[in-house]
Amino acid sequence: MIDVAEHSAVAATPTAWDRVKLARHSERPHFLDYLEALTTDWVELHGDRAFGDDRALIGGLATFDGQTVMVLGHQKGNDTKENIARNFGMARPEGYRKAERLMRHAEKFGFPLITFIDTPGAEPGIGSEERGQGTAIAESLLTMADLGVPSVAVVIGEGGSGGALAIGVADRLLMLENTIYAVASPEACAAILWKDAGRAAEAAETMRITAADLAAFGIIDEVVPEASPAHERPKDAIQGTGAALARHLRELTAEFPPHDAGAIERLRAARYERFRRIGAWREAEPTTRHSDEGGISAPRNGRSGEPRESAQRSG
Amino acid sequence: MRRFFGFRSAPAFAIPPDVASDDVPPSCPRCGVSLVEDARYERYRVCSACGAHLAIGSRRRIAALVDEGSFRETDAKLFSADPLSFTDDAPYRLRLDEQRRVTGQADALITGTAGLHGHKIVLAALDFAFMGGSMGLVVGEKLVRAAELARERRIPLLSIVASGGARMQEGMYSLLQMAKTAAAIQRLHAAGVPYVSVLTHPTTGGVFASFASLGDVIVAEPGALIGFAGPRVVEHFLGRPLPPGSHSAEFLLEHGMIDAIVPRAELPATLGTLLRHYTRSDARHDGPGYELREPAAIGHD
Ligand SMILES: [Zn+2]
């Protein structure tokens, strides 16, 4: 766990590794803390209708900002016992299949979808392989990408790889200031890149996994500020998150009313375009470096700018 | 080098030597029998003696699969712009240059159109030799363009994958290709255009957990290592060795995750028969509807 004194010393400019430690802090508010504070009328809906009920990825109906929404989230425990029950927030295939079932349920009844991302990653066990972890995640991605209701996702802790993305293919993506979202954990990256998991802090920096990094790439829509780290001032973090979620959801439901078929087709098209644009490529040989810059695609609408690289290249 | 690919327009590169072709091992790494002058090895990179499916470069794979001379490559000049300006021990940009030089390819995925037993298809083949077949933004973009082409032209999409998963050096751009490719496959599904996914050794991580698992039909090569988490990751997680075969094509078939296991040499014929069901124009309803065959002729494989 993070050393608070050490953290205070670096609080002015936390490093990426500081953010990793903050994102994983055991006292950081977890999904159910947000749910309890921000919603009413919660009805949890259990089970994938095929194998089991995953306690690491839960969902149900709730009232948020005056309307019924479907809520999904990874749930970590607050202590060792609860963490074991919650599998440390690592969902199994039945979790992703439940999530997909609840997404379809939301679509059927026109409930907007809110997801809370906080997982080290999908569980890598043998049982998960047997029951099709890869397939379950892929199908959740596919369903969420085409969902006929507005969706907002927020990273409240760790955004760990495909297990996070499986409930993250949303119309808006928010991150709290001290959270991370990465293709693999810094430890795994360090092990892959340098065969040394001990260089995780270095990997955290190199991989560009903080909310600020991803906002600069145009990959996320908003950073929810944490004036103090969320575990120190949980109410502030939850309140700020609730306000941001409500604002984005109001914008989306105003532009794409859930029961207007034409609007929903536009919503699907806009979401497809949102993910379709993610990339930064050149359509020419890399050797001619001045004349071929036209092919660079800005990450999203060019809003947050070109990939950093393009400036260097054209220089 | 054989010119199987019959480019009409000028190819993006001189057709490169097949990665797997220049270092012919003298003997099969599994059974030890000589591979010199093994015709099956020469064409399919499969050992005649024991049936081991060995590494095959994507160009050789395409040549061994599609109708001769029918492949037309698309988007051969798509290059990563290295959005993270990534450096580990060396700049990612230099690593890419090196991989391009060695493989003669711009990135890990080759896409194009081809004929397969006379059926028009859009083909996407991942090459493990290019950075472990990892999916970065170029792989994602090209797969999406292939899916969009298949949808526009209403011809089946065939993907053949061999991949260790995500391209670490492209960070979140890599991860998000999972969402991007899944979204494109969803559109293909919605349009009713068939998508066949072929999993080969090895298929793990983000490629397995996105487009490769979304085929209308999913087939795998015998003995291929396939899984969401690679065996080393799972062993680390469990703290003990894995039971044998827990990440194999056979394991996936047994657990209901894939439709069939098809040996490489039989793939063209099997896919040809399969595609006929989706593209047939010879349906007739003017006779008895079927021809009775002698029971003995029906048989079982
Ligand atoms: Zn052999």
Side-chain angles (χ1 to χ4, degrees):
Chain A
M1 291 305 110
I2 190 166
D3 180 322
V4 176
E6 175 196 301
H7 169 68
S8 301
V10 296
T13 50
T15 64
W17 185 241
D18 292 329
R19 307 268 195 206
V20 171
K21 289 188 284 186
L22 288 168
R24 293 173 177 171
H25 198 289
S26 64
E27 287 164 31
R28 197 175 170 83
H30 293 139
F31 169 45
L32 286 174
D33 300 313
Y34 288 84
L35 189 78
E36 192 176 359
L38 297 176
T39 74
T40 54
D41 311 321
W42 167 244
V43 182
E44 185 173 350
L45 301 171
H46 292 270
D48 70 345
R49 302 292 192 268
F51 177 81
D53 184 41
D54 195 325
R55 308 300 300 140
L57 176 43
I58 60 184
L61 296 171
T63 305
F64 173 72
D65 193 31
Q67 67 176 331
T68 294
V69 293
M70 179 65 77
V71 193
L72 293 169
H74 303 104
Q75 179 64 28
K76 290 182 178 177
N78 293 316
D79 53 43
T80 304
K81 188 176 165 221
E82 199 192 344
N83 253 326
I84 289 167
R86 298 289 183 185
N87 201 28
F88 299 85
M90 293 184 291
R92 300 176 170 110
E94 42 276 19
Y96 296 109
R97 295 202 167 100
K98 172 171 66 178
E100 197 208 356
R101 177 175 81 82
L102 297 185
M103 288 173 196
R104 291 191 187 282
H105 183 107
E107 180 176 71
K108 178 174 178 180
F109 295 102
F111 303 139
L113 175 67
I114 301 176
T115 68
F116 291 80
I117 294 170
D118 189 12
T119 179
E123 197 215 63
I126 294 177
S128 289
E129 296 291 346
E130 276 179 343
R131 300 193 297 280
Q133 186 72 289
T135 312
I137 291 172
E139 287 175 350
S140 187
L141 293 171
L142 182 147
T143 296
M144 197 169 179
D146 194 53
L147 204 64
V149 288
S151 55
V152 182
V154 56
V155 182
I156 56 171
E158 271 184 288
S161 195
L165 183 64
I167 60 166
V169 193
D171 299 307
R172 303 281 168 87
L173 175 59
L174 323 179
M175 287 175 75
L176 272 78
E177 184 179 339
N178 293 312
T179 66
I180 56 164
Y181 198 173
V183 66
S185 73
E187 291 85 350
C189 286
I192 292 165
L193 297 173
W194 298 297
K195 314 269 180 276
D196 180 3
R199 291 171 73 177
E202 207 176 323
E205 208 68 54
T206 308
M207 299 294 295
R208 316 294 303 272
I209 60 177
T210 68
D213 285 331
L214 300 177
F217 288 140
I219 283 173
I220 66 170
D221 298 275
E222 183 171 335
V223 180
V224 179
E226 294 179 42
S228 300
H231 68 276
E232 290 174 10
R233 303 282 294 272
K235 274 188 186 166
D236 290 354
I238 292 170
Q239 195 170 34
T241 303
L245 286 172
R247 178 161 36 79
H248 284 285
L249 212 54
R250 282 183 191 196
E251 283 173 16
L252 286 166
T253 46
E255 193 178 352
F256 309 107
H259 296 286
D260 174 342
I264 291 307
E265 280 319 298
R266 283 191 289 112
L267 174 71
R268 287 188 164 112
R271 193 184 303 129
Y272 184 75
E273 196 54 32
R274 173 188 170 88
F275 286 91
R276 179 73 183 78
R277 283 166 181 259
I278 290 172
W281 54 81
R282 283 172 290 103
E283 307 215 25
E285 302 276 353
T287 44
T288 52
R289 294 198 169 172
H290 291 275
S291 58
D292 61 355
E293 294 302 317
I296 291 187
S297 168
R300 285 196 35 240
N301 304 325
R303 193 197 57 192
S304 295
E306 306 262 290
R308 294 164 62 257
E309 204 37 41
S310 59
Q312 290 184 16
R313 270 193 178 276
S314 50
Chain B
M1 192 66 211
R2 285 165 293 178
R3 294 188 64 95
F4 271 129
F5 305 102
F7 290 92
R8 273 200 189 122
S9 53
F13 313 96
I15 295 172
D18 192 85
V19 179
S21 66
D22 291 336
D23 49 349
V24 178
S27 59
C28 172
R30 188 162 88 184
C31 71
V33 168
S34 170
L35 294 169
V36 178
E37 296 184 11
D38 180 335
R40 199 149 158 242
Y41 176 78
E42 181 54 33
R43 182 160 174 78
Y44 297 108
R45 291 291 183 259
V46 172
C47 169
S48 293
C50 73
H53 282 53
L54 304 172
I56 183 168
S58 49
R59 290 187 189 273
R60 178 176 296 268
R61 178 185 285 288
I62 291 167
L65 177 66
V66 306
D67 301 340
E68 192 167 341
S70 68
F71 183 67
R72 302 282 179 276
E73 188 168 0
T74 53
D75 298 312
K77 290 185 170 188
L78 212 57
F79 298 89
S80 171
D82 182 21
L84 271 57
S85 299
F86 189 93
T87 296
D88 45 24
D89 291 333
Y92 173 48
R93 166 127 4 100
L94 296 184
R95 183 126 182 248
L96 282 175
D97 286 345
E98 169 71 9
Q99 291 282 306
R100 286 170 190 143
R101 197 180 56 72
V102 171
T103 65
Q105 292 168 204
D107 210 293
L109 187 71
I110 295 182
T111 57
T113 58
L116 202 166
H117 276 232
H119 301 287
K120 279 187 181 167
I121 59 167
V122 175
L123 180 61
L126 263 179
D127 200 321
F128 195 77
F130 195 107
M131 295 193 76
S134 55
M135 177 160 66
L137 56 91
V138 170
V139 169
E141 176 68 16
K142 287 184 72 168
L143 192 284
V144 167
R145 289 187 189 186
E148 289 177 344
L149 183 65
R151 182 170 175 263
E152 273 164 35
R153 297 202 189 165
R154 303 200 60 79
I155 56 178
L157 174 66
L158 174 68
S159 72
I160 304 172
V161 304
S163 174
R167 180 81 53 90
M168 293 291 151
Q169 293 84 350
E170 293 183 6
M172 278 297 286
Y173 284 89
S174 170
L175 184 72
L176 289 166
Q177 303 310 312
M178 293 173 68
K180 177 169 161 171
T181 57
I185 298 301
Q186 159 59 24
R187 292 199 146 192
L188 195 62
H189 287 335
V193 175
Y195 168 38
V196 179
S197 171
V198 179
L199 313 180
T200 77
H201 180 83
T203 298
T204 60
V207 168
F208 181 56
S210 62
F211 69 90
S213 285
L214 295 172
D216 295 299
V217 177
I218 305 175
V219 304
E221 289 191 342
L225 184 156
I226 304 167
F228 169 67
R232 271 177 303 170
V233 176
V234 179
E235 287 182 344
H236 181 76
F237 176 73
L238 297 173
R240 58 185 157 81
L242 281 168
S246 73
H247 280 64
S248 63
E250 291 73 15
F251 175 90
L252 264 73
L253 185 68
E254 183 188 336
H255 289 284
M257 296 303 150
I258 59 175
D259 291 285
I261 293 174
V262 182
R264 196 176 291 163
E266 293 171 23
L267 196 60
T270 301
L271 292 179
T273 306
L274 178 68
L275 290 175
R276 184 161 180 262
H277 291 295
Y278 304 107
T279 57
R280 70 190 311 156
S281 53
D282 59 348
R284 288 169 45 214
H285 304 286
D286 53 351
Y290 54 86
E291 263 179 60
L292 201 58
R293 295 164 67 198
E294 291 297 320
I298 294 170
H300 299 279
D301 292 335

